[in-house]
């Protein structure tokens, strides 16, 4: 809807979170709540999106980019938040959609339905309502047939009869901009909370015979997060949704409940995820790859037909070519591995490039950090690095080279050379037997002396 301005309210006091971080910046499935809301708002293709934040919550500015924040000086209520928002915006569309920064589940489909009904009803104000299982402190919708809305009564101001109504206000509201701007001027604070309620607009509009309606939505979608308990519940629901979506898309999970995903985790076809795998943000897994138990991946692009884990740690900046094999207790950070590379056991490969077909032996470490700076390790194609080698970066091991096990590599290795960089083995014939006899005699002597003293 190209004439729509979306205003996301996020300037309220979120005291129940008991946090120094503003509530909408807390994360669900690896992404802040406000980002979830922005993603949904974007799907409506609006004219513009703005976020209303409090003066001290500068952290929003970075999080919501490329969108801009408007500051509400004081949290004087949802009506005041919308007023502050509109005053700070140039180019407001024909309609304004108000969303909340702490309601991360609202779906694009539901909002599109609200917009469609709004236009079909030629409505001046449309509210998303839901039939609450437990209506708690929500505002109650006072309605007539044909989805006509007469009034919203806040819980604190409701009569006992109104409190019995289970049809509640979600907070999502769509309004004609011209009427909205006029209406906001008429809001008063003569209510139980002493705030400017956005919800009072319904009565204001009705007095002017401007049509107000409501649309239904599923309660689950309108779940708000107010404290850490609700945050944990929201995480659980989001995880289930993401798992189900992945399963439907053709990912196999033996025990989905033990797999943790991010909103942006991407899977190809026929991926297999074993139990107890955690995906952090920005992970992409190619077709037919297999992620084995207890692996933790973030910021990584995994090619097709790779095997990762068990117990692999894949950190940001990693990309793996097709048919790569990363085994147990291997850590990768900012590592680009080409096709058919294998690092099967107990390695740290950081700030490294590894060419096609190379084999990294057990216990190989790229020594990338000297306490001050990070340096790169380059390994060419078809290189064989023997077990327990330390590669002191910066270092370049060229195509076809072999590194003998236990080497400490400090210099570049040329193409097709073999390098062994460890102390040479020496043999002292029979010396072990002599040493043992000497030591045993020494020990026996000490024991005898101690007995004498006693
Ligand atoms: C609001 C609604 C209520 C509805 C409920 C749904 C009003 C008066 N009441 O109540 O009918 O059932 O949401 O969850 O609108 N905010 C600001 N600035 C402010 C105050 C709030 O930006 O000055 C933001 C908050 O950050 C939040 C949203 O507005 O994102 C809602 O505020 P909140 O105080 O939680 O409203 P409720 O009392 O829950
Ligand atoms: Ca609330």
């Amino acid at each position: 809807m190209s004439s729509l301005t979306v205003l996301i309210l996020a300037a309220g006091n979120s005291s129940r979170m008991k946090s120094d971080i503003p509530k909408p910046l807390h994360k669900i499935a690896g992404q802040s709540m406000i980002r979830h809301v922005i993603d949904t708002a974007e799907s409506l293709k609006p004219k513009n999106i703005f976020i209303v934040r409090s003066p001290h919550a500068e952290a929003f500015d970075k999080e919501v980019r490329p969108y801009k924040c408007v500051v509400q000086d004081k949290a004087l209520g949802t009506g005041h938040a919308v007023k502050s928002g509109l005053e700070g915006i140039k180019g407001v569309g024909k309609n304004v959609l108000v969303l909340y920064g702490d309601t991360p589940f609202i779906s694009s489909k539901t909002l599109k339905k609200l917009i469609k009904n709004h236009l079909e009803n030629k409505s001046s104000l449309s509210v998303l309502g839901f039939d609450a299982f437990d209506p708690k402190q929500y505002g109650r919708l006072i309605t007539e047939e044909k989805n006509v809305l007469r009034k919203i009564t806040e819980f604190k101001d409701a009569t006992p009869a109104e409190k019995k109504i289970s049809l509640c206000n979600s907070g999502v509201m769509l309004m004609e901009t011209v009427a909205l701007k006029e209406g906001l001027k008429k809001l008063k604070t003569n209510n139980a909370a002493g705030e400017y309620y956005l919800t009072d607009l319904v009565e204001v509009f009705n007095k002017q015979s401007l049509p107000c309606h409501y649309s239904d939505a599923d309660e689950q979608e309108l779940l708000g997060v107010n404290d850490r308990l609700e945050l944990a519940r929201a995480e659980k629901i989001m995880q289930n949704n993401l798992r189900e979506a992945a399963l439907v898309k053709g990912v196999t999970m033996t025990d989905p409940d033990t797999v943790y995903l991010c909103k942006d985790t991407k899977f190809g076809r026929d991926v297999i995820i074993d139990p107890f795998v955690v995906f952090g943000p920005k992970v992409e897994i190619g077709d037919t790859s297999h992620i084995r138990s207890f692996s933790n991946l973030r910021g990584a692009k995994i090619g097709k037909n790779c095997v990762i884990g068990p117990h692999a740690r894949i950190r940001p900046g990693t990309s793996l070519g097709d048919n790569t094999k990363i085994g147990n207790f291997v850590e990768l950070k900012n590592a680009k591995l080409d096709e058919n590379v294998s690092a099967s056991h107990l390695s740290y490969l950081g700030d490294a490039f590894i060419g096609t077909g190379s084999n990294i032996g057990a216990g190989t470490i790229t020594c990338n950090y000297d306490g001050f700076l990070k340096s790169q390790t380059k390994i060419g194609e078809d290189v064989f690095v023997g077990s327990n080698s330390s590669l002191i970066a910066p270092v370049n091991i060229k195509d076809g080279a072999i590194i003998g096990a236990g080497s400490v590599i400090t210099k570049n290795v040329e193409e097709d050379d073999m390098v062994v960089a460890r102390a040479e083995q020496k043999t002292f014939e029979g010396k072990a037997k002599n040493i043992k006899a000497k030591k045993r005699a020494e020990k026996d002597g000490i024991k005898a002396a101690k007995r004498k003293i006693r």
Side-chain angles (χ1 to χ4, degrees):
M1 194 190 190
S2 58
S3 61
L4 182 71
T5 288
V6 179
L7 216 52
I8 306 174
L9 305 190
N13 308 313
S14 28
S15 46
R16 276 184 283 166
M17 286 300 280
K18 304 214 169 26
S19 174
D20 292 335
I21 303 163
K23 180 169 63 178
L25 299 185
H26 282 264
K27 288 183 176 165
I28 297 174
Q31 183 171 305
S32 68
M33 281 194 256
I34 193 108
R35 256 295 140 196
H36 286 285
V37 180
I38 289 174
D39 282 354
T40 311
E42 274 177 341
S43 73
L44 305 173
K45 299 192 171 61
K47 179 175 166 58
N48 42 31
I49 299 174
F50 291 92
I51 292 84
V52 180
R53 70 155 169 89
S54 67
H56 303 297
E58 286 106 351
F60 274 104
D61 297 348
K62 192 172 163 216
E63 178 64 24
V64 305
R65 265 181 217 157
Y67 302 105
K68 294 237 156 57
C69 290
V70 189
V71 172
Q72 182 192 12
D73 287 332
K74 249 180 151 184
L76 299 178
T78 47
H80 183 258
V82 171
K83 192 159 176 278
S84 305
L86 293 180
E87 280 166 4
I89 300 172
K90 279 199 196 97
V92 180
K94 196 165 165 282
N95 287 283
V96 173
L97 175 67
V98 171
L99 302 176
Y100 288 173
D102 61 358
T103 314
F105 291 103
I106 185 92
S107 76
S108 172
K109 194 172 152 212
T110 299
L111 292 177
K112 281 177 182 159
K113 191 182 104 186
L114 176 78
I115 294 169
K116 187 169 167 266
N117 291 346
H118 182 77
L119 297 175
E120 277 176 11
N121 291 329
K122 296 196 167 42
S123 203
S124 292
L125 183 156
S126 300
V127 166
L128 210 55
F130 64 103
D131 206 15
F133 175 71
D134 170 14
K136 290 188 277 203
Q137 313 244 324
Y138 289 117
R140 308 297 207 261
L141 303 190
I142 317 290
T143 59
E144 277 173 20
E145 63 224 41
K146 291 195 179 148
N147 291 13
V148 168
L149 182 63
R150 285 290 167 220
K151 189 182 166 190
I152 302 178
T153 306
E154 286 308 304
F155 177 79
K156 285 181 187 165
D157 305 282
T159 63
E162 285 170 337
K163 281 181 186 166
K164 288 205 177 101
I165 297 171
S166 63
L167 187 60
C168 292
N169 173 28
S170 69
V172 175
M173 276 204 207
L174 178 60
M175 291 148 290
E176 255 176 16
T177 307
V178 176
L180 169 63
K181 283 185 173 170
E182 280 307 305
L184 286 171
K185 292 180 193 161
K186 300 200 172 83
L187 294 186
K188 298 205 175 71
T189 56
N190 55 347
N191 51 56
E195 289 182 355
Y196 295 98
Y197 291 162
L198 185 64
T199 44
D200 281 352
L201 278 182
V202 178
E203 256 192 305
V204 171
F205 278 29
N206 269 296
K207 274 188 192 140
Q208 296 171 262
S209 305
L210 294 170
C212 299
H213 294 89
Y214 73 94
S215 281
D216 280 325
D218 181 26
E219 183 172 6
Q220 183 102 329
E221 269 191 38
L222 299 165
L223 201 95
V225 172
N226 293 299
D227 56 28
R228 310 267 181 160
L229 246 147
E230 287 173 353
L231 184 71
R233 273 183 211 136
E235 180 74 46
K236 212 168 206 172
I237 294 169
M238 189 76 78
Q239 286 299 336
N240 272 330
N241 293 348
L242 293 171
R243 288 167 191 145
E244 277 176 22
L247 292 166
V248 168
K249 255 198 79 189
V251 173
T252 296
M253 294 186 203
T254 4
D255 188 0
D257 289 349
T258 66
V259 174
Y260 289 83
L261 301 164
C262 274
K263 176 120 183 262
D264 61 0
T265 312
K266 290 196 179 75
F267 296 110
R269 279 172 80 85
D270 290 314
V271 168
I272 299 175
I273 322 259
D274 288 353
F276 302 103
V277 173
V278 177
F279 293 93
K282 296 197 175 86
V283 175
E284 237 176 271
I285 310 284
D287 297 348
T288 69
S289 283
H290 184 174
I291 316 297
R292 300 172 76 184
S293 296
F294 306 107
S295 294
N296 185 310
L297 302 91
R298 49 179 55 225
K301 191 164 189 278
I302 311 296
K304 293 180 185 164
N305 204 36
C306 297
V307 181
I308 312 283
H311 291 280
R313 179 163 184 218
I314 315 291
R315 293 170 53 198
T318 295
S319 78
L320 305 185
D322 299 346
N323 308 310
T324 296
K325 190 166 175 280
I326 302 299
N328 43 275
F329 305 104
V330 173
E331 175 179 350
L332 304 180
K333 185 220 72 173
N334 193 25
K336 308 236 174 317
L337 277 55
D338 286 342
E339 290 170 24
N340 296 303
V341 169
S342 147
S344 296
H345 337 260
L346 303 153
S347 273
Y348 171 62
L349 304 169
D351 302 310
F353 295 87
I354 303 178
T356 306
S358 288
N359 184 84
I360 310 297
T364 297
I365 307 287
T366 53
C367 309
N368 62 329
Y369 185 50
D370 60 9
F372 296 92
L373 295 171
K374 303 269 165 75
S375 300
Q376 288 185 336
T377 301
K378 261 183 101 174
I379 297 173
E381 294 181 9
D382 285 316
V383 170
F384 181 89
V385 179
S387 295
N388 203 32
S389 292
S390 301
L391 312 175
I392 316 264
V395 72
N396 188 355
I397 299 165
K398 295 187 186 161
D399 294 354
I402 294 179
I403 308 292
S407 290
V408 177
I409 301 296
T410 54
K411 292 183 213 140
N412 290 348
V413 175
E414 295 307 313
E415 229 176 284
D416 296 324
D417 283 355
M418 166 157 169
V419 169
V420 183
R422 61 178 182 237
E424 225 171 288
Q425 186 165 321
K426 285 185 191 158
T427 304
F428 304 90
E429 271 177 39
K431 192 166 178 181
K433 201 175 174 188
N434 297 343
I435 289 177
K436 284 183 186 169
K438 203 176 140 202
K439 288 286 171 194
R440 203 168 291 127
E442 242 175 75
K443 194 173 167 185
D444 289 349
I446 292 167
K447 275 189 186 162
K450 274 190 185 163
R451 259 192 309 252
K452 241 187 196 169
I453 292 165
R454 273 196 240 123

